[in-house]
Amino acid sequence: MTQTTEFTNNIENTKSQMRKGTLEFCILLTIANGKKMYATGILSALKERDLIVVEGTLYPLLNRLKREGLLAYEWLESKNGPPRKYYLLTDPGHEMIKRLSETWKSFHASLSSLLNTYEQNH
């Protein structure tokens, strides 16, 4: 493996880890903003924001968030086929968003400060 290839792989791995670290928060925000959403709608909303997620990643996360009491779901009839499972935030889910928002804002401020210092020096 060449040094350039290794460098590119390291960048892609770091970017992937950054996305994974915020994915749960992004999913909770997406559902909160859409009130009730089914999985395909969640995937589309994330994709519109350049947050590409595959079904194989989304469904286990939705199930875990449901088990943790952050999400609930209900089955609703569909005009175009079988009933769909629509996810919605629970009260603990809204509380989680509030807490994660505080953490995100603090983290963002710290990272922005570091980035601004770097940009001023380079």
Side-chain angles (χ1 to χ4, degrees), residues 91-116:
D91 288 340
H94 284 285
E95 182 61 30
M96 177 66 96
I97 286 178
K98 287 178 189 172
R99 290 180 183 218
L100 290 175
S101 293
E102 292 167 5
T103 302
W104 176 257
K105 288 173 185 174
S106 174
F107 178 74
H108 181 265
S110 298
L111 190 57
S112 292
S113 175
L114 288 168
L115 186 57
N116 288 338

mmCIF file of all heavy atoms in Angstrom, residues 91-116:
data_model
loop_
_atom_site.group_PDB
_atom_site.id
_atom_site.type_symbol
_atom_site.label_atom_id
_atom_site.label_comp_id
_atom_site.label_asym_id
_atom_site.label_seq_id
_atom_site.Cartn_x
_atom_site.Cartn_y
_atom_site.Cartn_z
ATOM 1 N N ASP A 91 -41.218 11.145 25.209
ATOM 2 C CA ASP A 91 -40.746 12.229 26.077
ATOM 3 C C ASP A 91 -39.261 12.042 26.423
ATOM 4 O O ASP A 91 -38.494 13.009 26.350
ATOM 5 C CB ASP A 91 -41.600 12.326 27.340
ATOM 6 C CG ASP A 91 -42.986 12.890 27.035
ATOM 7 O OD1 ASP A 91 -43.162 13.533 25.985
ATOM 8 O OD2 ASP A 91 -43.897 12.686 27.868
ATOM 9 N N PRO A 92 -38.826 10.813 26.780
ATOM 10 C CA PRO A 92 -37.383 10.642 27.012
ATOM 11 C C PRO A 92 -36.551 10.919 25.747
ATOM 12 O O PRO A 92 -35.423 11.397 25.847
ATOM 13 C CB PRO A 92 -37.252 9.179 27.436
ATOM 14 C CG PRO A 92 -38.588 8.828 28.012
ATOM 15 C CD PRO A 92 -39.580 9.618 27.193
ATOM 16 N N GLY A 93 -37.117 10.668 24.577
ATOM 17 C CA GLY A 93 -36.420 10.984 23.329
ATOM 18 C C GLY A 93 -36.219 12.475 23.167
ATOM 19 O O GLY A 93 -35.151 12.934 22.748
ATOM 20 N N HIS A 94 -37.236 13.255 23.505
ATOM 21 C CA HIS A 94 -37.102 14.715 23.447
ATOM 22 C C HIS A 94 -36.069 15.197 24.468
ATOM 23 O O HIS A 94 -35.283 16.101 24.183
ATOM 24 C CB HIS A 94 -38.457 15.391 23.705
ATOM 25 C CG HIS A 94 -39.375 15.325 22.540
ATOM 26 N ND1 HIS A 94 -39.228 16.111 21.420
ATOM 27 C CD2 HIS A 94 -40.466 14.556 22.312
ATOM 28 C CE1 HIS A 94 -40.182 15.836 20.556
ATOM 29 N NE2 HIS A 94 -40.949 14.890 21.068
ATOM 30 N N GLU A 95 -36.074 14.577 25.639
ATOM 31 C CA GLU A 95 -35.086 14.940 26.664
ATOM 32 C C GLU A 95 -33.671 14.608 26.178
ATOM 33 O O GLU A 95 -32.734 15.382 26.403
ATOM 34 C CB GLU A 95 -35.388 14.215 27.977
ATOM 35 C CG GLU A 95 -34.448 14.568 29.102
ATOM 36 C CD GLU A 95 -34.460 16.034 29.495
ATOM 37 O OE1 GLU A 95 -35.511 16.702 29.357
ATOM 38 O OE2 GLU A 95 -33.399 16.536 29.933
ATOM 39 N N MET A 96 -33.526 13.472 25.508
ATOM 40 C CA MET A 96 -32.215 13.084 24.969
ATOM 41 C C MET A 96 -31.737 14.116 23.952
ATOM 42 O O MET A 96 -30.566 14.499 23.961
ATOM 43 C CB MET A 96 -32.290 11.702 24.329
ATOM 44 C CG MET A 96 -30.985 11.262 23.693
ATOM 45 S SD MET A 96 -29.663 11.008 24.869
ATOM 46 C CE MET A 96 -29.811 9.258 25.107
ATOM 47 N N ILE A 97 -32.633 14.591 23.097
ATOM 48 C CA ILE A 97 -32.256 15.619 22.122
ATOM 49 C C ILE A 97 -31.769 16.872 22.836
ATOM 50 O O ILE A 97 -30.766 17.466 22.453
ATOM 51 C CB ILE A 97 -33.418 15.943 21.162
ATOM 52 C CG1 ILE A 97 -33.581 14.805 20.157
ATOM 53 C CG2 ILE A 97 -33.177 17.260 20.433
ATOM 54 C CD1 ILE A 97 -34.735 14.999 19.194
ATOM 55 N N LYS A 98 -32.470 17.291 23.883
ATOM 56 C CA LYS A 98 -32.049 18.485 24.624
ATOM 57 C C LYS A 98 -30.641 18.308 25.177
ATOM 58 O O LYS A 98 -29.794 19.192 25.068
ATOM 59 C CB LYS A 98 -33.027 18.777 25.761
ATOM 60 C CG LYS A 98 -34.350 19.316 25.289
ATOM 61 C CD LYS A 98 -35.291 19.527 26.458
ATOM 62 C CE LYS A 98 -36.685 19.869 25.950
ATOM 63 N NZ LYS A 98 -37.665 19.897 27.038
ATOM 64 N N ARG A 99 -30.392 17.145 25.770
ATOM 65 C CA ARG A 99 -29.065 16.910 26.363
ATOM 66 C C ARG A 99 -27.983 16.790 25.300
ATOM 67 O O ARG A 99 -26.884 17.320 25.457
ATOM 68 C CB ARG A 99 -29.105 15.669 27.240
ATOM 69 C CG ARG A 99 -29.922 15.898 28.489
ATOM 70 C CD ARG A 99 -29.951 14.673 29.351
ATOM 71 N NE ARG A 99 -30.800 14.928 30.501
ATOM 72 C CZ ARG A 99 -30.534 14.484 31.696
ATOM 73 N NH1 ARG A 99 -29.466 13.748 31.927
ATOM 74 N NH2 ARG A 99 -31.355 14.734 32.694
ATOM 75 N N LEU A 100 -28.284 16.070 24.224
ATOM 76 C CA LEU A 100 -27.302 15.944 23.148
ATOM 77 C C LEU A 100 -27.056 17.290 22.475
ATOM 78 O O LEU A 100 -25.935 17.574 22.049
ATOM 79 C CB LEU A 100 -27.745 14.901 22.126
ATOM 80 C CG LEU A 100 -27.721 13.445 22.596
ATOM 81 C CD1 LEU A 100 -28.299 12.526 21.519
ATOM 82 C CD2 LEU A 100 -26.318 13.010 22.976
ATOM 83 N N SER A 101 -28.078 18.130 22.389
ATOM 84 C CA SER A 101 -27.919 19.466 21.797
ATOM 85 C C SER A 101 -26.939 20.303 22.611
ATOM 86 O O SER A 101 -26.081 20.984 22.047
ATOM 87 C CB SER A 101 -29.260 20.192 21.727
ATOM 88 O OG SER A 101 -30.119 19.557 20.829
ATOM 89 N N GLU A 102 -27.068 20.240 23.922
ATOM 90 C CA GLU A 102 -26.139 20.973 24.789
ATOM 91 C C GLU A 102 -24.710 20.476 24.576
ATOM 92 O O GLU A 102 -23.775 21.270 24.450
ATOM 93 C CB GLU A 102 -26.536 20.793 26.255
ATOM 94 C CG GLU A 102 -27.844 21.454 26.617
ATOM 95 C CD GLU A 102 -28.386 21.005 27.967
ATOM 96 O OE1 GLU A 102 -27.708 20.236 28.687
ATOM 97 O OE2 GLU A 102 -29.521 21.422 28.297
ATOM 98 N N THR A 103 -24.557 19.168 24.533
ATOM 99 C CA THR A 103 -23.234 18.578 24.324
ATOM 100 C C THR A 103 -22.692 18.970 22.955
ATOM 101 O O THR A 103 -21.522 19.345 22.827
ATOM 102 C CB THR A 103 -23.299 17.046 24.448
ATOM 103 O OG1 THR A 103 -23.798 16.723 25.748
ATOM 104 C CG2 THR A 103 -21.952 16.401 24.226
ATOM 105 N N TRP A 104 -23.540 18.886 21.923
ATOM 106 C CA TRP A 104 -23.112 19.222 20.568
ATOM 107 C C TRP A 104 -22.671 20.686 20.485
ATOM 108 O O TRP A 104 -21.642 20.995 19.886
ATOM 109 C CB TRP A 104 -24.212 18.951 19.549
ATOM 110 C CG TRP A 104 -23.781 19.383 18.188
ATOM 111 C CD1 TRP A 104 -24.147 20.504 17.519
ATOM 112 C CD2 TRP A 104 -22.828 18.725 17.356
ATOM 113 N NE1 TRP A 104 -23.489 20.580 16.316
ATOM 114 C CE2 TRP A 104 -22.678 19.491 16.192
ATOM 115 C CE3 TRP A 104 -22.095 17.547 17.487
ATOM 116 C CZ2 TRP A 104 -21.824 19.131 15.167
ATOM 117 C CZ3 TRP A 104 -21.244 17.192 16.456
ATOM 118 C CH2 TRP A 104 -21.114 17.977 15.316
ATOM 119 N N LYS A 105 -23.436 21.587 21.065
ATOM 120 C CA LYS A 105 -23.099 23.015 20.995
ATOM 121 C C LYS A 105 -21.750 23.288 21.665
ATOM 122 O O LYS A 105 -20.936 24.051 21.142
ATOM 123 C CB LYS A 105 -24.207 23.855 21.620
ATOM 124 C CG LYS A 105 -25.448 23.892 20.755
ATOM 125 C CD LYS A 105 -26.598 24.582 21.454
ATOM 126 C CE LYS A 105 -27.853 24.491 20.601
ATOM 127 N NZ LYS A 105 -29.026 25.029 21.306
ATOM 128 N N SER A 106 -21.505 22.653 22.785
ATOM 129 C CA SER A 106 -20.227 22.818 23.478
ATOM 130 C C SER A 106 -19.085 22.239 22.643
ATOM 131 O O SER A 106 -18.038 22.862 22.476
ATOM 132 C CB SER A 106 -20.297 22.127 24.842
ATOM 133 O OG SER A 106 -19.050 22.153 25.471
ATOM 134 N N PHE A 107 -19.303 21.046 22.106
ATOM 135 C CA PHE A 107 -18.288 20.392 21.271
ATOM 136 C C PHE A 107 -18.012 21.228 20.024
ATOM 137 O O PHE A 107 -16.858 21.436 19.647
ATOM 138 C CB PHE A 107 -18.773 18.983 20.894
ATOM 139 C CG PHE A 107 -17.830 18.238 20.010
ATOM 140 C CD1 PHE A 107 -16.647 17.717 20.498
ATOM 141 C CD2 PHE A 107 -18.130 18.048 18.669
ATOM 142 C CE1 PHE A 107 -15.776 17.019 19.674
ATOM 143 C CE2 PHE A 107 -17.267 17.358 17.840
ATOM 144 C CZ PHE A 107 -16.084 16.846 18.347
ATOM 145 N N HIS A 108 -19.073 21.712 19.392
ATOM 146 C CA HIS A 108 -18.937 22.519 18.179
ATOM 147 C C HIS A 108 -18.135 23.791 18.459
ATOM 148 O O HIS A 108 -17.260 24.180 17.680
ATOM 149 C CB HIS A 108 -20.319 22.866 17.624
ATOM 150 C CG HIS A 108 -20.273 23.668 16.373
ATOM 151 N ND1 HIS A 108 -20.358 25.041 16.370
ATOM 152 C CD2 HIS A 108 -20.138 23.291 15.077
ATOM 153 C CE1 HIS A 108 -20.279 25.475 15.132
ATOM 154 N NE2 HIS A 108 -20.141 24.443 14.325
ATOM 155 N N ALA A 109 -18.416 24.441 19.593
ATOM 156 C CA ALA A 109 -17.684 25.662 19.950
ATOM 157 C C ALA A 109 -16.203 25.357 20.159
ATOM 158 O O ALA A 109 -15.333 26.113 19.686
ATOM 159 C CB ALA A 109 -18.284 26.284 21.213
ATOM 160 N N SER A 110 -15.912 24.265 20.831
ATOM 161 C CA SER A 110 -14.511 23.892 21.066
ATOM 162 C C SER A 110 -13.802 23.582 19.758
ATOM 163 O O SER A 110 -12.678 24.044 19.526
ATOM 164 C CB SER A 110 -14.443 22.668 21.988
ATOM 165 O OG SER A 110 -15.011 22.952 23.237
ATOM 166 N N LEU A 111 -14.447 22.794 18.917
ATOM 167 C CA LEU A 111 -13.842 22.419 17.634
ATOM 168 C C LEU A 111 -13.664 23.641 16.736
ATOM 169 O O LEU A 111 -12.631 23.795 16.086
ATOM 170 C CB LEU A 111 -14.696 21.356 16.945
ATOM 171 C CG LEU A 111 -14.102 20.703 15.727
ATOM 172 C CD1 LEU A 111 -12.762 20.055 16.027
ATOM 173 C CD2 LEU A 111 -15.072 19.673 15.163
ATOM 174 N N SER A 112 -14.657 24.525 16.723
ATOM 175 C CA SER A 112 -14.554 25.748 15.916
ATOM 176 C C SER A 112 -13.393 26.612 16.384
ATOM 177 O O SER A 112 -12.665 27.191 15.569
ATOM 178 C CB SER A 112 -15.858 26.541 15.985
ATOM 179 O OG SER A 112 -16.880 25.847 15.325
ATOM 180 N N SER A 113 -13.205 26.701 17.687
ATOM 181 C CA SER A 113 -12.083 27.474 18.236
ATOM 182 C C SER A 113 -10.753 26.890 17.778
ATOM 183 O O SER A 113 -9.855 27.622 17.345
ATOM 184 C CB SER A 113 -12.171 27.492 19.754
ATOM 185 O OG SER A 113 -11.051 28.127 20.308
ATOM 186 N N LEU A 114 -10.627 25.577 17.871
ATOM 187 C CA LEU A 114 -9.390 24.922 17.421
ATOM 188 C C LEU A 114 -9.171 25.124 15.926
ATOM 189 O O LEU A 114 -8.054 25.412 15.481
ATOM 190 C CB LEU A 114 -9.445 23.421 17.741
ATOM 191 C CG LEU A 114 -9.303 23.037 19.203
ATOM 192 C CD1 LEU A 114 -9.668 21.570 19.408
ATOM 193 C CD2 LEU A 114 -7.889 23.318 19.689
ATOM 194 N N LEU A 115 -10.227 24.989 15.153
ATOM 195 C CA LEU A 115 -10.124 25.149 13.704
ATOM 196 C C LEU A 115 -9.769 26.584 13.335
ATOM 197 O O LEU A 115 -8.917 26.816 12.470
ATOM 198 C CB LEU A 115 -11.435 24.725 13.040
ATOM 199 C CG LEU A 115 -11.460 24.686 11.526
ATOM 200 C CD1 LEU A 115 -10.367 23.774 10.977
ATOM 201 C CD2 LEU A 115 -12.824 24.223 11.038
ATOM 202 N N ASN A 116 -10.380 27.549 13.998
ATOM 203 C CA ASN A 116 -10.054 28.960 13.727
ATOM 204 C C ASN A 116 -8.600 29.256 14.035
ATOM 205 O O ASN A 116 -7.915 29.968 13.279
ATOM 206 C CB ASN A 116 -10.980 29.883 14.534
ATOM 207 C CG ASN A 116 -12.385 29.900 14.005
ATOM 208 O OD1 ASN A 116 -12.636 29.586 12.854
ATOM 209 N ND2 ASN A 116 -13.328 30.260 14.872
#
